[in-house]
Amino acid sequence: MLKDVDYSFKDYVEEFEESFTMRKKSLYSIKNNELIKISDFFPKIIQLEIYERTLKNYWFNVEFTLSNTKSNTYNCDIVLAAKSQSLKFIDNQYWDHIENNGGTIYYQKPFHAVCKRYVRYVLRNEASNFIDGAYLTGWIANNFSQNYISVTDNGCWDENSLDKSIFNYFSIGYNGQLEAHYFNRHSALSGLDVHSIVKKTNLFQSFFNCILGSDELMGIFAYTIHSLLWFYSGNGNQIGKILFGNKVLFEQTVFSICISGSNINNVKCIANLFSHIFYIDMLHNPNGRGRYYVSATSLNTNFLKLTRLQSIPVCITAKGYHLNRNSHIVKKTHRYRQNGILSIFPVYLNNNPINADEIIDFNIDNAMQMLPSKTELPLLKDEISYLLLIFIHYLADISKSKATDSYFEDYRYIKYNYAKIIDQYLHCSSSDYVEQLYPLLLYSAIQGFCRFLETKLNLSEQSKRIEQSAHSLFLKAYLSYLNNNSENTNCDKRNPLSDFGNYIDQLFKQPENNRPYISYVDEDKSDNQEICYYLEFKKYYNDFFNWANQKSIIPMSERELKRTLKDNELLIMRKNKSQYSCERWHRIEGEEQPRKYSLLIIRKKKFDTFTGIQSDLIEDILKENS
């Protein structure tokens, strides 16, 4: 990041040392009660660049001239201490350039001291945007790319080295090996290369089962991805004006989430898995307070730490876990985020929903059943942490891509997804859309994550299922629905299966050999010999989803659809009622022998009545007459 500056030594003296006494110390030395100049020239910095940053230091390359020369410029490296803001080191070349190029220094020690004060003054004034906002975490631009600064002991970054550990948890070495770094902990996933990890975890099946099996877990995880992508996509800085240009619009995009439940230990367990990005011993202490947890009573003492965090969710609690919309910590945190003072993404842990306009509540009482056994929680945590780690490295890599690179389309897709939603928001006067803004932002985050799953990890099938589920959840849901507001939840009085019913009606009006998958009507002899719709289990929902999109309809998620069919007793299921697919023999026209297929079997007459389909198939009449 290059900056042109124009601060002469005289400017520095006049601005910060107005009194005659201070000017004596800066420009003169006192000898025998007389003022004696310490030099007949001084440096003038004209350009600076930050090229490395750690938790302890900022490394600058400085270009400067001397006041008694007209054309010569000089370069040197200077280090600024992050905490004390003192000059920890000035390159020897700095002094060599000054002392060997045409000037006279009468008193070297005071001259060196005043030069250091001048350099520090310029760096403080011209580099304040990345010094005052010295994040322990977050994205920073570097040579037309973006790098993620993690919470590590050194926090260093540059284009030629991977982060030591994104979350003090894992890192990927130059040989592609995944390594555990948290003290002496040996992760179940350590020592594996990037591709074999996918196979080792059975395609991250534990993680996918959780977020595909629970709207609440999907929403909580989407907020974590949102926290990683919001600033990466250029949607704000300390004053929140990069994309929007006006602060009011930025304020309307600031929201938080609350994880609530009747058992606060379950709440903390879910938060530690899906929101808390640092290491937690999920086997022995799944409900423990992790690093960078913040409580209401410790907010003031932790406030400086919070101002230096960006692009991560932070868990916030209160004594008794009884936060509400008027709680001081809730109002203060939201106000400071709107004003750009805080860049964290709060996750409130509470017994009850907070029910504030700017907070999405997720009650996890029903979501707990989706978690694996306690002994398998560490593996689930490993899967999530690994995915987040690779996701961040992927985001950094694609930010370096050029228009001709294969990853360029990924970068453009992820970067501008939020912009499309904000643009829609600006041009839509519907109050309904305003209520949906927060879920839409979460959906945009999931879209970016799905792009990563598909292009980086080759998990296209899982990517599509997640996006379909998120599409249904976030684009259909109003904020009041996500907040479990019962008055608004049932505002849509349409038959919940009306869209699926219209799809079935159109599907079976086509000749059987023209249908996109195995789908037919027949008598089911294994049950009550009733006429049923048979849909190929692994293919029916994708076709329904595509049909709905073509008609600009927001479809139910596959899980919600199957549950609605089951709850209304419209399905023939296996005897244990736990699996929706049934195996049946079916012969396709042109084939000599029938084959066994996994099918979704829908009771036709009952389904047609429930959805209002006007069927003219002769099978119904024959069945009724018999």
Side-chain angles (χ1 to χ4, degrees):
M1 181 184 297
L2 290 171
K3 290 182 68 71
D4 294 322
V5 299
D6 188 20
Y7 280 93
S8 68
F9 195 88
K10 183 179 180 182
D11 295 330
Y12 156 67
V13 171
E14 291 179 351
E15 184 170 347
F16 276 86
E17 302 184 4
E18 297 176 352
S19 70
F20 183 70
T21 303
M22 290 301 296
R23 292 184 68 179
K24 286 181 183 177
K25 295 180 180 178
S26 294
L27 302 178
Y28 302 93
S29 181
I30 301 176
K31 186 175 182 179
N32 298 326
N33 294 324
E34 293 183 5
L35 293 178
I36 302 175
K37 290 174 62 176
I38 59 176
S39 176
D40 63 359
F41 71 103
F42 293 95
K44 177 183 178 181
I45 295 177
I46 57 175
Q47 193 175 76
L48 60 88
E49 176 185 10
I50 181 171
Y51 67 92
E52 187 173 337
R53 164 182 168 175
T54 71
L55 296 187
K56 298 179 180 179
N57 300 308
Y58 305 94
W59 294 77
F60 294 89
N61 180 261
V62 173
E63 184 175 319
F64 66 95
T65 62
L66 300 176
S67 58
N68 66 334
T69 62
K70 295 183 178 180
S71 59
N72 292 341
T73 59
Y74 310 97
N75 289 85
C76 69
D77 294 330
I78 293 176
V79 181
L80 187 68
K83 291 184 178 180
S84 65
Q85 302 296 295
S86 63
L87 289 176
K88 186 176 181 181
F89 171 77
I90 290 185
D91 195 307
N92 286 334
Q93 290 184 0
Y94 180 82
W95 303 122
D96 292 341
H97 289 321
I98 290 178
E99 296 171 10
N100 298 327
N101 287 278
T104 302
I105 300 173
Y106 304 114
Y107 293 92
Q108 192 173 73
K109 188 174 181 178
F111 178 73
H112 283 192
V114 77
C115 285
K116 284 186 176 183
R117 292 170 67 183
Y118 163 68
V119 170
R120 183 169 61 245
Y121 159 74
V122 175
L123 297 183
R124 289 284 303 141
N125 277 275
E126 291 298 326
S128 60
N129 61 323
F130 41 74
I131 291 177
D132 293 337
Y135 296 118
L136 291 171
T137 65
W139 295 100
I140 186 169
N142 179 45
N143 294 335
F144 306 105
S145 64
Q146 297 192 72
N147 294 274
Y148 189 84
I149 302 174
S150 66
V151 182
T152 60
D153 291 337
N154 59 9
C156 62
W157 60 270
D158 63 57
E159 288 187 335
N160 298 317
S161 66
L162 294 175
D163 233 329
K164 173 185 173 185
S165 169
I166 293 295
F167 307 128
N168 268 356
Y169 203 98
F170 290 122
S171 72
I172 298 177
Y174 288 103
N175 58 357
Q177 295 291 308
L178 189 69
E179 301 168 355
H181 280 295
Y182 200 89
F183 299 116
N184 295 320
R185 178 176 180 273
H186 180 74
S187 166
L189 305 184
S190 63
L192 297 170
D193 64 49
V194 173
H195 298 291
S196 66
I197 188 70
V198 178
K199 184 176 180 180
K200 170 74 174 180
T201 61
N202 191 22
L203 304 180
F204 303 99
Q205 197 58 50
S206 181
F207 164 73
F208 290 135
N209 286 343
C210 286
I211 65 170
L212 287 172
S214 168
D215 289 347
E216 292 75 19
L217 298 184
M218 171 73 81
I220 293 167
F221 181 73
Y223 186 70
T224 298
I225 298 300
H226 170 72
S227 72
L228 294 175
L229 283 177
W230 183 243
F231 290 94
Y232 173 85
S233 300
N235 296 307
N237 59 0
Q238 278 196 299
I239 59 173
K241 292 185 179 180
I242 286 183
L243 175 64
F244 308 124
N246 87 60
K247 193 169 184 292
V248 174
L249 180 56
F250 173 76
E251 290 172 355
Q252 292 173 330
T253 64
V254 173
F255 70 100
S256 309
I257 67 168
C258 170
I259 305 176
S260 64
S262 56
N263 186 326
I264 198 63
N265 284 332
N266 290 342
V267 170
K268 290 190 285 187
C269 178
I270 292 289
N272 286 339
L273 284 168
F274 294 95
S275 295
H276 192 61
I277 61 177
F278 304 101
Y279 171 70
I280 291 285
D281 187 344
M282 295 305 300
L283 181 61
H284 301 101
N285 193 24
N287 314 317
R289 280 173 55 88
R291 187 181 182 194
Y292 292 104
Y293 263 61
V294 178
S295 66
T297 54
S298 66
L299 178 64
N300 290 333
T301 57
N302 285 285
F303 187 76
L304 179 60
K305 181 189 295 183
L306 289 182
T307 61
R308 300 178 65 196
L309 296 175
Q310 177 181 285
S311 295
I312 60 169
V314 172
C315 296
I316 298 178
T317 63
K319 187 176 182 180
Y321 302 95
H322 297 311
L323 292 167
N324 59 64
R325 70 175 68 191
N326 295 316
S327 296
H328 175 69
I329 189 173
V330 174
K331 296 171 71 174
K332 180 177 181 179
T333 302
H334 184 67
R335 184 175 71 253
Y336 280 11
R337 291 183 71 211
Q338 287 184 319
N339 292 334
I341 300 172
L342 289 179
S343 297
I344 61 171
F345 290 77
V347 178
Y348 298 102
L349 310 185
N350 214 36
N351 282 130
N352 300 301
I354 293 180
N355 292 323
D357 291 341
E358 68 281 0
I359 297 175
I360 302 179
D361 292 294
F362 295 100
N363 185 289
I364 52 84
D365 285 340
N366 294 328
M368 290 300 298
Q369 62 184 339
M370 300 309 304
L371 296 188
S373 64
K374 182 179 178 180
T375 58
E376 294 178 333
L377 288 179
L379 179 60
L380 175 58
K381 178 67 175 177
D382 285 350
E383 288 182 11
I384 296 170
S385 298
Y386 173 80
L387 284 169
L388 293 175
L389 169 70
I390 303 302
F391 183 51
I392 287 176
H393 280 297
Y394 163 81
L395 293 174
D397 286 342
I398 65 175
S399 73
K400 303 177 179 70
S401 60
K402 301 176 182 178
T404 55
D405 296 339
S406 58
Y407 275 150
F408 181 73
E409 284 302 316
D410 290 2
Y411 179 61
R412 187 166 62 177
Y413 176 85
I414 292 174
K415 185 175 178 64
Y416 294 110
N417 248 7
Y418 282 114
K420 290 188 295 185
I421 287 182
I422 298 302
D423 185 61
Q424 269 185 292
Y425 174 76
L426 286 171
H427 294 90
C428 182
S429 59
S430 168
S431 60
D432 289 347
Y433 188 88
V434 173
E435 286 184 319
Q436 289 189 21
L437 178 60
Y438 300 158
L440 290 176
L441 294 176
L442 293 181
Y443 175 61
S444 180
I446 287 294
Q447 283 184 303
F449 183 71
C450 287
R451 188 79 170 217
F452 150 75
L453 291 178
E454 182 175 1
T455 60
K456 179 66 176 178
L457 298 183
N458 298 319
L459 298 174
S460 56
E461 182 179 342
Q462 292 83 347
S463 170
K464 188 168 186 178
R465 290 176 61 198
I466 290 174
E467 184 162 356
Q468 288 172 348
S469 182
H471 184 279
S472 177
L473 170 64
F474 295 125
L475 294 193
K476 188 178 71 172
Y478 289 89
L479 182 60
S480 56
Y481 169 75
L482 290 178
N483 282 343
N484 298 314
N485 187 326
S486 59
E487 294 182 1
N488 292 328
T489 300
N490 299 318
C491 60
D492 187 354
K493 300 299 182 182
R494 292 194 320 140
N495 187 308
L497 291 175
S498 60
D499 292 330
F500 191 64
N502 291 331
Y503 162 74
I504 292 294
D505 186 42
Q506 303 236 344
L507 175 70
F508 282 92
K509 284 179 179 178
Q510 304 175 50
E512 185 173 340
N513 57 359
N514 287 343
R515 295 171 197 160
Y517 57 91
I518 302 298
S519 47
Y520 60 96
V521 176
D522 200 359
E523 183 178 80
D524 195 75
K525 297 179 176 57
S526 64
D527 197 71
N528 297 320
Q529 295 186 333
E530 60 184 307
I531 303 298
C532 296
Y533 292 115
Y534 294 81
L535 309 177
E536 192 172 356
F537 191 75
K538 293 183 178 181
K539 296 183 179 180
Y540 81 93
Y541 185 78
N542 283 346
D543 189 60
F544 168 57
F545 183 84
N546 294 332
W547 173 87
N549 277 345
Q550 290 172 6
K551 296 184 176 298
S552 299
I553 295 170
I554 300 173
M556 304 170 75
S557 68
E558 184 176 7
R559 183 175 54 83
E560 185 182 5
L561 174 60
K562 289 186 291 190
R563 187 168 55 194
T564 305
L565 289 169
K566 176 184 175 181
D567 291 346
N568 289 282
E569 299 181 345
L570 303 177
L571 290 180
I572 290 178
M573 301 180 63
R574 298 190 186 186
K575 292 182 179 180
N576 60 13
K577 302 294 184 182
S578 64
Q579 291 177 286
Y580 295 94
S581 64
C582 295
E583 291 186 337
R584 295 290 187 271
W585 290 91
H586 177 69
R587 185 178 66 84
I588 299 177
E589 185 179 350
E591 293 185 353
E592 294 184 3
Q593 298 295 329
R595 287 189 290 172
K596 188 182 289 186
Y597 293 93
S598 293
L599 301 165
L600 184 81
I601 306 177
I602 303 173
R603 303 176 191 272
K604 184 181 184 308
K605 182 178 179 180
K606 198 168 185 178
F607 178 82
D608 291 351
T609 302
F610 187 86
T611 58
I613 295 177
Q614 300 297 318
S615 175
D616 57 359
L617 291 175
I618 192 65
E619 288 91 342
D620 285 333
I621 300 173
L622 293 174
K623 182 63 178 177
E624 289 174 0
N625 291 339
S626 64

